[in-house]
Amino acid sequence: MMDVTIAQPGELNRDVLDCAETLVRSAFGHSFRTHDWLHGVDGVHVLVTENGQLLAHASVVARSLCHDGEVFTAGYVGGVAVRNDQQGRGLGRVVMDHAEAIIQAQHQLGALNAVDTAAPFYAARGWLPWRGHTQADTPDGVVDTYDPDDQIFVLPAGVSVDRLSDSTPLICDWRVGDLW
Ligand SMILES: CC(C)(COP(=O)(O)OP(=O)(O)OC[C@H]1O[C@@H](n2cnc3c(N)ncnc32)[C@H](O)[C@@H]1OP(=O)(O)O)[C@@H](O)C(=O)NCCC(=O)NCCS
């Protein structure tokens, strides 16, 4: 029987977090970057289990995104992964349905940085590729964050898509490691 657990930040014990990290690292393979797991640890976790086995995971981290002088509360999605031997049976859809419901309920905007192979997965769910410039508000001021490998997507929640013109940069808050 399949269960979906939504765990608020700090609710998961070490064993469950370790299990989720192992799943995510294994699903991402070599594209997993140093801080990718740590970035998601303090978020709301979506866990899909079946018969006590963890099969899929995502986390939604509260961040601030600034655009055209306005600051939006954003649900930044990371650690989206389905166990390798379980992909293609709808579990990615299940974790993202829940991650997006969290964004709709608690944030004005969703955002994520997709790996190449998963970009069509998010696009098919209505996530919009961000085609404008990106910047980050760092301790040293606002810096450009252009990276040819980034595939940033946004999902308007409380905010209308018309307010997200890509002629103005999207600015994320600072964090350790990759900023997007
Ligand atoms: C990407 C991933 C989360 C998708 O999960 P999944 O369980 O395999 O996907 P599902 O079976 O739920 O598929 C849901 C739909 O998305 C489509 N889809 C799944 N993966 C896709 C992909 N990589 N590209 C395009 N479409 C994809 C499916 O065909 C299906 O379409 P349908 O609704 O028209 O039938 C999973 O393949 C995975 O963990 N990949 C490795 C880690 C990764 O890349 N994570 C995302 C990082 S940004």
Side-chain angles (χ1 to χ4, degrees), residues 100-137:
E100 289 161 10
I102 291 163
I103 290 165
Q104 296 293 344
Q106 299 178 13
H107 300 283
Q108 294 172 289
L109 200 59
L112 59 81
N113 191 0
V115 299
D116 257 5
T117 49
F121 169 71
Y122 297 111
R125 300 186 58 83
W127 287 73
L128 307 171
W130 176 256
R131 306 218 186 269
H133 289 292
T134 59
Q135 296 178 331
D137 192 0

Side-chain angles (χ1 to χ4, degrees), residues 12-34:
L12 296 180
N13 66 33
R14 186 76 265 157
D15 286 351
V16 178
L17 285 173
D18 285 348
C19 185
E21 181 178 358
T22 301
L23 182 152
V24 173
R25 280 185 180 278
S26 158
F28 273 80
H30 68 275
S31 67
F32 203 81
R33 296 171 296 183
T34 315

Side-chain angles (χ1 to χ4, degrees), residues 27-93:
F28 273 80
H30 68 275
S31 67
F32 203 81
R33 296 171 296 183
T34 315
H35 287 93
D36 284 346
W37 174 251
L38 290 178
H39 284 152
V41 163
D42 291 331
V44 178
H45 293 260
V46 180
L47 303 162
V48 180
T49 54
E50 194 171 51
N51 303 322
Q53 300 278 308
L54 181 64
L55 302 186
H57 170 272
S59 69
V60 182
V61 176
R63 297 188 71 183
S64 292
L65 293 182
C66 185
H67 179 263
D68 203 14
E70 285 191 80
V71 179
F72 299 109
T73 160
Y76 200 85
V77 178
V80 178
V82 174
R83 206 173 81 184
N84 291 322
D85 63 345
Q86 300 290 322
Q87 292 173 10
R89 57 170 285 213
L91 298 177
R93 185 183 309 124

